[in-house]
């Protein structure tokens, strides 16, 4: 079923531009005119009392005939009512949509040639569904507080014409004027109904959100008012019972802590200001917890709390000797610190850095120092640390912010002068979160750390009383600026005799106790301990020695639980029975002198080690082949060694033509282990000379030293570690640079008695010592 809506209008009608509203057909609405506008309006109306209302396109356009929209509404004037205060109220009724084809000015009034717009209304299931949906949405909007006159709702229920319904609903959706004009220009009633439906849907959704927000606000306000009333009632009840308010008691307790903390004046001002702010914050607010935690840290920091140092140097020396064997330099440095502290009350804490291979007692030495001084001990591992905030903390603006580890540990410790050990300082990482090593510069600088400022506390804290001790396996990865702030004390590896004494004094009693053998402790024979040291461990420290002693103790404990008689003495035979075949062999003593194979000495972060440099030759084009995972520096040393031999080979009977058609291959086992450094230069020279001259190299002679192109032997580092490694391998003679002669005093006397030292300044001297005559 369909119907066509049509209307006849005069060929020309008066035109009145209206800016404030958009008129729709069948709409009855008032138009308020001023006195100066009323007379021209009445004049322009004819007998038909019809006028075309059209919106201007541009409200600011000058001229009598502004640019107008093409489509407007033909309206009938039903009533003109003059108002007592001036002006008039004109009641108009929309008649039909019209298209303005031409606008003319006649007798100072605007007139328009208009043509009616015929609307073809088609009744269908879609239109009926839209009408029903529109009615339902209007009722929902009404339920959310959208005001609609009662007669309008009745009218909407009765209208079944989609065109009229769309125009009527558009009046009450609060659309912008531009959107209303678009609806007016939409001639298809069904399309117009769809647009009105979409606008009304958005309006209902907005009303729903607004209603939910208002309901939540009302709920929260009601809850806050309820809590306030209950809190006031509780306060009144507590006053009647003579009890104190919980929050007031909490604030009073916090104020007492702040007063007793002994804060500096500038820190006290910050604490008092923050306390006043906390008292004004609602305890249910998240900001209250943040501020309360901050005040707890401020009040709990040891601003004035310090332990009293043990100034008895003799007692401190006894404590150090009880806990550690040897380590004379370290103990001497601690006793020097105590001596100065005894003579001077106020002094800056030293920044010591213990450098040495694993297992020599760097970390445990920190505990002994704290015990000797009578101070508390804090240990913090820096290995793998990548976030600068671990040192300096987070700003309080971040959720879950905390102070840095330095401040946290001091807060837990409760004193401002502990022994603070920063372990593994050479293994600090670096990424996008900052550079923790750079953050440590202020912490480990005695000239700056008296005003260390953590990002969380945001007030300076004095770290000058803290005795900082850092540990590292090697110094190379430590930044130069950080290295400059520390006093480096090197801990070399132990000799076999020292390891045996450490085992007797410390390791065996500890493992016997930990493995439940205290009632029937087995006695470890000296030969058994030496067998473990030489045949089952190969290290600078004593960790593996401790593990093997623990393994022997566990096997003794197992036998006892099985009903077997307890072992009274651990002999070398028992060690071999429990630990199995020996793990390490004497590489030097078991080998013969060979041509082109030379024993060298190397330093690693785990201590000293021996290396074998092997050289061979074959027909070729005079190339140098290097294998064995060698680093760039070691490769350059090999090239320098070959150049030196080529330039001076005649001294050892090597003809210059020997290099023309010969490739020389230098290999350093083990090939899977990376090796680098210049100290193998002398070893490579002698390997090449031995190869080309045919003179065997003495296998029991080990050497170390960097060479120059002129044959000078330059100084090297880590001589003690290398000599200890040579002794473990069975070397009888060590060839070293002459400039390292002064380092001989660092080597224990028992090692000097077993190894002969030859110090050379020129590689030619080393050739005479190492190579056998032909």
């Amino acid at each position: 079923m369909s119907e066509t809506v049509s209307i006849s209008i005069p060929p020309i009608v008066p035109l009145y531009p209206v800016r404030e509203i958009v008129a729709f057909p069948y709409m009855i609405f008032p138009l308020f005119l001023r006195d100066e506008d009323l007379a021209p309006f009445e004049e322009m109306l004819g007998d038909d009392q019809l006028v075309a209302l059209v919106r201007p396109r541009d409200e600011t356009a000058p001229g009598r005939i502004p640019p107008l929209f093409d489509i407007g509404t033909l309206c009938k004037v039903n009533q003109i009512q003059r108002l007592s205060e001036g002006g008039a109220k004109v009641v108009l009724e929309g008649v039909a949509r019209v298209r303005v084809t031409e606008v003319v000015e006649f007798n100072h009034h605007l007139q328009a040639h208009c043509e009616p717009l015929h609307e073809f209304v088609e009744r269908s299931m879609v239109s009926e569904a839209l009408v029903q949906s529109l009615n339902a949405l209007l009722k929902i909007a009404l339920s959310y507080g959208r005001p609609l006159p009662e007669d309008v709702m009745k009218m909407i229920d009765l209208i079944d014409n989609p065109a009229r319904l769309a125009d009527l609903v558009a009046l009450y959706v609060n659309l912008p004027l531009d959107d209303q004009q678009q609806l007016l220009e939409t001639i298809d009633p069904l399309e117009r109904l769809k647009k009105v439906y979409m606008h009304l849907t958005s309006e209902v959704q907005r009303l729903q959100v607004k209603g939910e927000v208002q309901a939540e606000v009302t709920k929260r306000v009601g809850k806050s008012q309820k809590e306030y009333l209950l809190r006031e009632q509780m306060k009144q009840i507590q006053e009647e019972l003579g009890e104190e308010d919980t929050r007031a008691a909490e604030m009073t307790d916090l104020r007492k802590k702040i007063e007793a903390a002994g804060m500096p004046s500038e820190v006290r001002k910050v604490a008092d200001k923050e306390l006043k702010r906390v008292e004004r914050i609602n305890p249910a607010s998240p900001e209250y917890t943040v501020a309360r935690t901050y005040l707890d840290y401020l009040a709990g920091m040891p601003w004035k709390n310090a332990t009293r140092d043990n100034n008895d140097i003799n007692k401190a020396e006894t404590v150090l000797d009880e806990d550690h064997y040897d380590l004379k330099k370290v103990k001497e440095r601690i006793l020097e610190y105590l001596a100065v502290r005894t003579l001077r009350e106020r002094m800056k804490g030293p920044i010591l850095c213990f450098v040495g291979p694993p297992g020599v007692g760097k970390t445990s030495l920190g505990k002994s120092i704290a015990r000797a001084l009578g101070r508390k001990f804090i240990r913090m591992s820096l290995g793998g640390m990548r976030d600068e905030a671990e040192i300096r903390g987070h700003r309080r603006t971040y959720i879950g912010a905390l102070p840095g580890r330095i401040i946290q540990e001091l807060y837990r410790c409760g004193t401002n002068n502990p022994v603070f050990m920063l372990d593994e300082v050479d293994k600090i990482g670096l990424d996008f979160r900052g550079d923790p090593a750079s953050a440590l510069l202020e912490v480990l600088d005695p000239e700056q750390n008296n005003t260390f400022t953590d990002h969380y506390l945001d007030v300076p804290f004095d770290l000058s009383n803290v005795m900082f001790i850092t540990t590292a396996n090697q110094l190379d990865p430590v930044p130069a600026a950080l290295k400059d702030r520390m006093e480096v004390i090197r801990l070399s590896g132990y000799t076999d005799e020292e390891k045996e004494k450490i085992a007797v004094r410390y390791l065996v009693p500890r493992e016997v106790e930990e493995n439940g053998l205290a009632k029937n402790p087995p006695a470890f024979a000296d030969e058994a301990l030496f067998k473990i040291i030489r045949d089952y461990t190969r290290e600078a420290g004593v960790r593996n020695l401790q593990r093997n002693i623990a393994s022997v103790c566990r096997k003794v404990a197992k036998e006892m639980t099985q009903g077997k008689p307890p072992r009274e003495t651990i002999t070398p035979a028992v060690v071999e029975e429990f630990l199995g075949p020996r793990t390490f062999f004497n590489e030097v003593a078991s080998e013969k002198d060979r041509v082109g194979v030379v024993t060298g000495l190397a330093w690693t972060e785990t201590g000293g080690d021996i290396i074998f440099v092997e050289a061979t030759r074959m027909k070729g084009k005079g190339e140098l082949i290097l294998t064995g995972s060698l680093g760039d520096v070691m490769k350059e040393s090999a090239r320098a060694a070959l150049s030196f031999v080529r330039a001076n080979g005649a001294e050892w009977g090597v003809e210059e033509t020997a290099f023309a058609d010969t490739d020389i291959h230098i290999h350093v086992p083990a090939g899977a282990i990376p090796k680098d450094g210049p100290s193998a230069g002398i070893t490579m020279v002698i390997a090449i000379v031995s190869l080309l001259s045919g003179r065997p190299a003495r296998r029991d002679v080990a050497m170390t030293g960097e060479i120059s192109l002129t044959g000078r032997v330059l100084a090297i580092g880590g001589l003690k570690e290398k000599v200890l490694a040579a002794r473990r391998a069975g070397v009888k003679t060590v060839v070293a640079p002459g400039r390292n002669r002064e380092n001989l005093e660092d080597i224990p006397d028992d090692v000097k008695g077993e190894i002969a030292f030859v110090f050379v300044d020129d590689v030619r001297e080393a050739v005479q010592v190492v190579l056998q005559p032909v």
Side-chain angles (χ1 to χ4, degrees):
M1 176 182 178
S2 64
E3 60 176 320
T4 303
V5 179
S6 62
I7 183 173
S8 61
I9 62 173
I12 186 168
V13 294
L15 185 143
Y16 188 77
V18 60
R19 305 175 187 274
E20 296 82 8
I21 62 171
V22 174
F24 284 91
Y26 311 108
M27 169 185 175
I28 298 176
F29 60 95
L31 186 67
F32 292 93
L33 300 175
R34 296 175 297 180
D35 287 333
E36 57 268 25
D37 296 330
L38 180 60
F41 185 82
E42 289 178 328
E43 251 177 59
M44 64 188 289
L45 294 176
D47 296 334
D48 296 330
Q49 295 290 298
L50 295 175
V51 61
L53 297 186
V54 185
R55 277 190 72 222
R57 290 182 182 275
D58 187 358
E59 297 183 1
T60 60
R64 296 251 329 146
I65 305 178
L68 303 171
F69 283 100
D70 295 337
I71 296 177
T73 304
L74 182 67
C75 299
K76 182 179 180 182
V77 178
N78 288 343
Q79 182 183 5
I80 298 179
Q81 178 182 357
R82 296 185 179 274
L83 302 176
S84 59
E85 62 271 16
K89 172 184 175 183
V90 181
V91 180
L92 299 105
E93 179 182 358
V95 177
R97 284 176 171 78
V98 293
R99 185 187 304 279
V100 177
T101 59
E102 185 182 2
V103 179
V104 296
E105 187 174 359
F106 182 76
N107 292 335
H108 304 290
H109 302 303
L110 295 179
Q111 292 187 339
H113 292 278
C114 300
E115 61 181 23
L117 297 175
H118 301 288
E119 298 180 354
F120 181 78
V121 180
E122 182 180 356
R123 304 273 180 92
S124 65
M125 293 181 64
V126 175
S127 63
E128 291 179 4
L130 281 173
V131 169
Q132 294 175 3
S133 300
L134 211 57
N135 286 333
L137 281 175
L138 280 171
K139 291 176 182 177
I140 293 174
L142 189 63
S143 68
Y144 278 107
R146 179 72 175 149
L148 283 178
E150 186 177 348
D151 55 341
V152 172
M153 283 302 302
K154 291 180 180 178
M155 190 185 307
I156 289 173
D157 287 336
L158 296 174
I159 293 175
D160 60 352
N161 187 324
R164 292 195 60 184
L165 182 63
D167 291 342
L168 185 60
V169 173
L171 303 177
Y172 298 98
V173 183
N174 262 353
L175 295 178
L177 291 178
D178 290 340
D179 290 345
Q180 291 186 26
Q181 181 66 35
Q182 288 182 6
L183 284 175
L184 183 68
E185 294 178 352
T186 304
I187 307 303
D188 185 359
L190 191 60
E191 188 65 29
R192 193 159 69 240
L193 195 62
K194 290 179 182 178
K195 288 185 178 181
V196 172
Y197 179 79
M198 295 302 296
H199 285 300
L200 188 58
T201 301
S202 300
E203 177 74 8
V204 168
Q205 289 176 347
R206 187 183 64 80
L207 290 171
Q208 284 178 335
V209 173
K210 182 179 177 182
E212 291 172 0
V213 171
Q214 287 180 342
E216 184 66 23
V217 170
T218 304
K219 180 181 176 182
R220 291 187 180 183
V221 170
K223 183 179 179 182
S224 300
Q225 291 176 343
K226 180 180 178 181
E227 289 178 354
Y228 173 76
L229 292 174
L230 290 174
R231 207 173 284 114
E232 290 298 318
Q233 291 175 1
M234 185 182 296
K235 188 186 296 182
Q236 197 68 27
I237 293 171
Q238 287 174 341
E239 288 179 0
E240 291 291 333
L241 295 175
E243 297 178 355
E244 191 177 2
D245 181 20
T246 305
R247 186 183 179 190
E250 186 179 2
M251 292 298 105
T252 302
D253 183 55
L254 193 56
R255 186 175 289 104
K256 289 180 180 178
K257 288 182 180 178
I258 292 174
E259 292 173 355
M263 302 177 183
S265 57
E266 63 273 13
V267 180
R268 178 63 186 272
K269 291 178 183 177
V270 173
D272 289 340
K273 181 180 179 181
E274 193 70 16
L275 182 62
K276 291 179 182 178
R277 194 171 75 88
V278 170
E279 291 175 339
R280 296 192 298 268
I281 299 176
N282 187 339
S285 170
E287 184 67 20
Y288 177 83
T289 305
V290 173
R292 180 74 171 79
T293 306
Y294 174 68
L295 281 176
D296 280 338
Y297 269 105
L298 274 185
M301 290 300 296
W303 302 98
K304 296 294 182 182
N305 296 339
T307 54
R308 188 172 182 179
D309 283 347
N310 168 32
N311 292 327
D312 189 342
I313 296 180
N314 294 326
K315 183 179 178 182
E317 186 175 11
T318 302
V319 171
L320 292 173
D321 288 338
E322 285 177 358
D323 291 347
H324 286 82
Y325 178 79
D326 196 32
L327 302 179
K328 294 179 182 178
K329 284 189 177 181
V330 182
K331 295 176 181 178
E332 185 178 354
R333 180 62 183 87
I334 303 306
L335 296 178
E336 289 172 0
Y337 170 76
L338 280 178
V340 176
R341 190 61 187 260
T342 304
L343 298 175
R344 185 182 178 186
E345 182 66 24
R346 177 73 177 175
M347 66 172 291
K348 297 173 182 176
I351 313 295
L352 303 180
C353 179
F354 297 155
V355 180
V360 296
K362 300 185 297 296
T363 303
S364 60
L365 191 58
K367 296 180 181 179
S368 299
I369 293 172
R371 192 163 78 91
L373 294 174
R375 296 188 179 189
K376 291 188 177 181
F377 177 73
I378 300 173
R379 178 187 170 273
M380 174 179 162
S381 178
L382 302 179
M385 182 179 290
R386 294 178 178 271
D387 192 354
E388 180 188 349
E390 292 280 344
I391 305 296
R392 289 190 171 275
H394 300 84
R395 304 277 182 190
R396 277 182 289 150
T397 52
Y398 295 108
I399 296 175
L402 284 173
R405 291 283 303 280
I406 304 290
I407 295 298
Q408 284 188 48
E409 297 296 342
L410 290 175
Y411 175 82
R412 296 191 190 102
C413 174
T415 63
N416 62 15
N417 65 338
V419 173
F420 204 124
M421 172 156 281
L422 301 171
D423 226 351
E424 311 293 354
V425 73
D426 57 330
K427 296 177 179 62
I428 299 178
L430 170 65
D431 65 2
F432 65 94
R433 289 168 290 188
D435 183 4
S438 298
L440 280 175
L441 293 178
E442 183 183 3
V443 176
L444 298 181
D445 191 341
E447 301 298 328
Q448 299 180 29
N449 63 9
N450 59 335
T451 56
F452 172 71
T453 303
D454 184 272
H455 286 160
Y456 181 83
L457 290 186
D458 204 24
V459 291
F461 186 85
D462 187 2
L463 296 178
S464 61
N465 294 322
V466 179
M467 185 175 185
F468 284 103
I469 299 175
T470 63
T471 70
N473 294 131
Q474 52 183 334
L475 276 181
D476 293 342
V478 181
L482 186 58
K483 196 185 308 180
D484 183 61
R485 284 162 168 77
M486 301 183 295
E487 180 181 343
V488 177
I489 299 177
R490 296 189 179 274
L491 283 72
S492 303
Y494 297 109
T495 65
D496 292 350
E497 289 75 17
E498 290 172 340
K499 289 181 181 179
E500 187 268 337
K501 291 183 173 64
I502 291 172
V504 171
R505 294 188 185 184
Y506 308 105
L507 303 182
V508 170
R510 183 188 305 164
E511 294 304 326
V512 165
E513 179 68 28
E514 290 186 0
N515 289 281
L517 303 176
K519 294 182 179 179
N520 298 295
F524 279 74
D526 294 345
E527 295 80 6
L529 292 174
F530 276 114
K531 184 172 182 61
I532 295 175
I533 292 168
R534 291 169 179 166
D535 294 348
Y536 295 92
T537 64
R538 183 63 59 85
E539 58 179 343
V542 292
R543 273 205 189 113
N544 284 326
L545 174 59
Q546 180 179 351
R547 293 190 186 102
N548 282 281
I549 293 173
S551 178
V552 171
C553 291
R554 288 194 300 270
K555 294 184 185 302
V556 172
K558 177 185 174 184
E559 288 184 346
M560 292 177 61
T561 56
Q562 291 176 338
K564 298 179 182 179
R567 304 266 187 169
E568 296 182 358
T569 304
I570 305 298
T571 62
V574 174
V575 169
E576 189 167 356
E577 177 188 348
F578 284 164
L579 300 182
R582 61 189 299 183
T583 307
F584 297 98
F585 297 87
N586 193 326
E587 295 96 336
V588 174
S590 61
E591 293 288 342
K592 297 180 180 181
D593 299 344
R594 296 172 61 188
V595 173
V597 180
V598 183
T599 306
L601 296 175
W603 181 92
T604 68
E605 65 176 15
T606 58
D609 200 357
I610 65 167
I611 60 174
F612 297 104
V613 176
E614 300 177 349
T616 188
R617 63 178 177 174
M618 69 286 293
K619 288 184 179 181
K621 300 179 181 179
E623 295 181 356
L624 176 64
I625 303 170
L626 302 172
T627 56
S629 298
L630 307 186
D632 292 338
V633 177
M634 204 164 183
K635 290 178 180 178
E636 291 174 359
S637 295
R639 294 188 185 98
L642 180 60
S643 298
F644 173 77
V645 176
R646 290 184 66 177
N648 302 276
E651 298 181 21
W652 303 290
V654 179
E655 297 180 2
E656 188 174 350
T657 57
F659 299 95
D661 56 353
T662 301
D663 287 347
I664 296 179
H665 185 170
I666 296 178
H667 178 69
V668 184
I673 301 174
K675 311 166 192 72
D676 203 2
S679 61
I682 186 174
T683 314
M684 292 182 176
V685 168
I686 296 180
I688 297 173
V689 172
S690 172
L691 172 69
L692 299 177
S693 65
R695 297 168 61 181
R698 292 174 56 188
R699 203 59 184 269
D700 61 345
V701 178
M703 65 210 70
T704 179
E706 180 180 358
I707 63 155
S708 68
L709 282 177
T710 59
R712 290 185 302 122
V713 182
L714 308 180
I716 48 86
L719 181 63
K720 181 180 178 182
E721 290 85 352
K722 294 177 179 178
V723 170
L724 294 179
R727 187 200 186 200
R728 286 195 297 268
V731 171
K732 302 302 180 183
T733 303
V734 170
V735 177
R739 296 183 182 180
N740 288 104
R741 193 186 302 272
E742 297 176 355
N743 300 121
L744 200 59
E745 64 180 19
D746 297 333
I747 299 171
D749 294 336
D750 52 353
V751 177
K752 294 178 187 176
E754 295 184 16
I755 295 179
F757 292 90
V758 177
F759 293 95
V760 297
D761 295 314
D762 193 284
V763 72
R764 297 171 180 86
E765 303 172 30
V767 172
Q768 300 303 321
V769 175
V770 180
L771 298 186
Q772 300 277 15
V774 180

